[in-house]
Amino acid sequence: MASINTVLGAIFVASFYFCGSLAFFPPGPGHHHEGAHHPPIGSAPIPGLSTDYYRLTCPQADETVAPILKKAIAKEPRVAASLLRLLFHDCFVQGCDASVLLDDAEEVVSEKNAIPNKDSIRGFEVIDEIKAALEEACPQTVSCADTVALAARGSTVLSGGPYWELPLGRRDSRTANMKLANKNLPPPNATLHRLIKFFRRQGLDKVDLVALSGSHTIGSARCVSFKQRLYNQHRDNRPDSTLETSFYHTLASACPRAGGDGEIRPLDLVSPSRFDNSYYKLVLEGKGLLNSDEVLWTGRDPEIAGLVKSYAEDEALFFEHYVSSVTKMGNINPLTGHDGEIRKNCRRVNQEI
């Protein structure tokens, strides 16, 4: 069985294609934030999930995933953010069960057509390629839900972010839930109050909200996602006053009032392909792209604003909290044991093949 050092070595080499170097920051006793206590990583283990779940049945899972991610991200660095986002959009809808991957079928109404997902979520072809390779290496063993989780972690690491021990053993749902996708996925124009409610609904707290928002250190968003801020923030035909002036003009030139909805802008204009803490520095400067980014600083919540400032000043602290929060999110209501199934094709339930 290949050691984890072998796998991480391959990931380290791959990362030089686009980010120069990697830095891993395991949680340390010296890191804390006044007024914000975060539970230890894995403080509530989920029965049926284990970091060595495939040790006997598919020990080569990690090294099967790594080269496919390396190739896909080297070709298009933006896909790293897309794969990480799939984990969010999966786990926030009936748990981490790969329901987001299901296409429309006779008995399935796909979540891909929900308002927060339509023409927005992507990276499905990379998941297909990874799953096909896993099926060849270990037939009907590694679930699609775990494939999404492995791809999200690998994409984070390959973009320069932290590595985390990933609990595995999730199984795949036989259903999707478009109604829940429309209800549970936070919109880009959400207020801070609404964001807190969306995250609390998933058992996630304010620290999780701020840390996981740091995923926006990579990737892009369409103009339609933030155009309201440019032209009609409060339904008064005026821009959002919290936008830094030069940033506003840059965005307005790329996203005119009429048309251009599908044009994209980086969520982190400083280092859009590197997972670092520059996202928080930009939010402090009034250069958060989405309303849901900027309200972390302007939403008048001292704890949340304090975390934004702390992460902007201390990347290691951000990484430490991110690892804890993304692990916590990845443990939301998984199917384990004999529940669900191991899909052969992530786009459809097994009996449809």
Side-chain angles (χ1 to χ4, degrees):
M1 180 179 70
S3 69
I4 191 65
N5 289 332
T6 303
V7 177
L8 290 180
I11 291 176
F12 183 89
V13 172
S15 70
F16 278 93
Y17 275 96
F18 44 85
C19 53
S21 65
L22 287 178
F24 298 107
F25 295 92
H31 291 127
H32 66 277
H33 177 261
E34 186 176 352
H37 172 70
H38 208 45
I41 296 169
S43 58
I46 303 297
L49 298 188
S50 166
T51 55
D52 62 354
Y53 186 83
Y54 296 112
R55 181 174 60 87
L56 298 177
T57 57
C58 194
Q60 65 270 51
D62 266 327
E63 57 189 21
T64 301
V65 173
I68 299 171
L69 284 179
K70 170 185 171 181
K71 179 183 69 173
I73 298 172
K75 181 180 179 181
E76 184 192 9
R78 182 188 170 203
V79 82
S82 300
L83 293 169
L84 179 55
R85 188 167 179 239
L86 279 180
L87 181 65
F88 281 71
H89 282 233
D90 183 33
C91 293
F92 269 58
V93 181
Q94 70 180 29
C96 306
D97 61 0
S99 63
V100 72
L101 303 180
L102 288 170
D103 287 340
D104 279 326
E106 186 176 343
E107 296 183 0
V108 173
V109 179
S110 177
E111 293 168 17
K112 296 175 183 179
N113 296 318
I115 293 170
N117 291 335
K118 190 172 176 62
D119 300 322
S120 177
I121 53 172
R122 54 200 298 275
F124 299 108
E125 294 78 10
V126 180
I127 295 294
D128 290 341
E129 186 176 352
I130 294 172
K131 176 61 173 174
L134 288 169
E135 282 297 303
E136 184 175 342
C138 316
Q140 214 157 354
T141 301
V142 181
S143 69
C144 296
D146 279 348
T147 301
V148 170
L150 287 163
R153 180 185 65 178
S155 294
T156 301
V157 173
L158 283 168
S159 299
Y163 174 88
W164 62 92
E165 292 292 336
L166 179 61
L168 297 167
R170 302 165 190 83
R171 288 170 64 86
D172 302 324
S173 69
R174 299 186 180 96
T175 62
N177 195 323
M178 188 206 276
K179 182 178 180 181
L180 211 55
N182 282 320
K183 176 183 177 183
N184 280 2
L185 294 170
N189 64 347
T191 64
L192 185 59
H193 177 70
R194 288 188 70 200
L195 285 173
I196 292 169
K197 286 181 66 176
F198 277 109
F199 275 69
R200 187 175 293 146
R201 190 181 296 161
Q202 304 298 332
L204 302 173
D205 60 25
K206 290 181 180 181
V207 180
D208 301 318
L209 166 59
V210 183
L212 291 172
S213 293
S215 298
H216 285 179
T217 185
I218 55 175
S220 305
R222 296 178 299 153
C223 287
V224 69
S225 300
F226 56 85
K227 189 177 280 191
Q228 170 188 323
R229 299 188 71 201
L230 304 179
Y231 303 110
N232 194 23
Q233 174 70 342
H234 299 294
R235 299 185 180 180
D236 55 2
N237 290 314
R238 296 180 61 82
D240 183 351
S241 61
T242 68
L243 276 167
E244 191 272 336
T245 303
S246 63
F247 185 52
Y248 163 76
H249 288 298
T250 298
L251 295 178
S253 65
C255 306
R257 184 184 289 267
D261 285 359
E263 295 297 314
I264 62 171
R265 302 300 299 170
L267 288 157
D268 173 346
L269 59 88
V270 172
S271 52
S273 298
R274 181 170 178 80
F275 198 102
D276 55 23
N277 70 332
S278 60
Y279 163 83
Y280 298 102
K281 298 175 183 179
L282 291 166
V283 167
L284 291 178
E285 296 171 4
K287 297 177 182 177
L289 184 64
L290 306 179
N291 191 74
S292 58
D293 297 322
E294 199 58 47
V295 294
L296 298 177
W297 179 241
T298 62
R300 300 180 181 179
D301 184 300
E303 180 183 355
I304 286 177
L307 285 162
V308 171
K309 191 170 186 296
S310 293
Y311 296 164
E313 294 171 350
D314 188 346
E315 186 175 84
L317 178 67
F318 162 46
F319 280 14
E320 176 189 335
H321 283 193
Y322 188 85
V323 164
S324 180
S325 294
V326 76
T327 303
K328 188 175 172 182
M329 184 187 71
N331 288 348
I332 296 174
N333 295 328
L335 297 172
T336 58
H338 297 292
D339 293 333
E341 64 183 15
I342 306 297
R343 289 188 220 136
K344 298 176 185 176
N345 182 324
C346 291
R347 293 176 180 263
R348 57 184 67 97
V349 298
N350 286 339
Q351 55 261 40
E352 293 183 350
I353 295 176

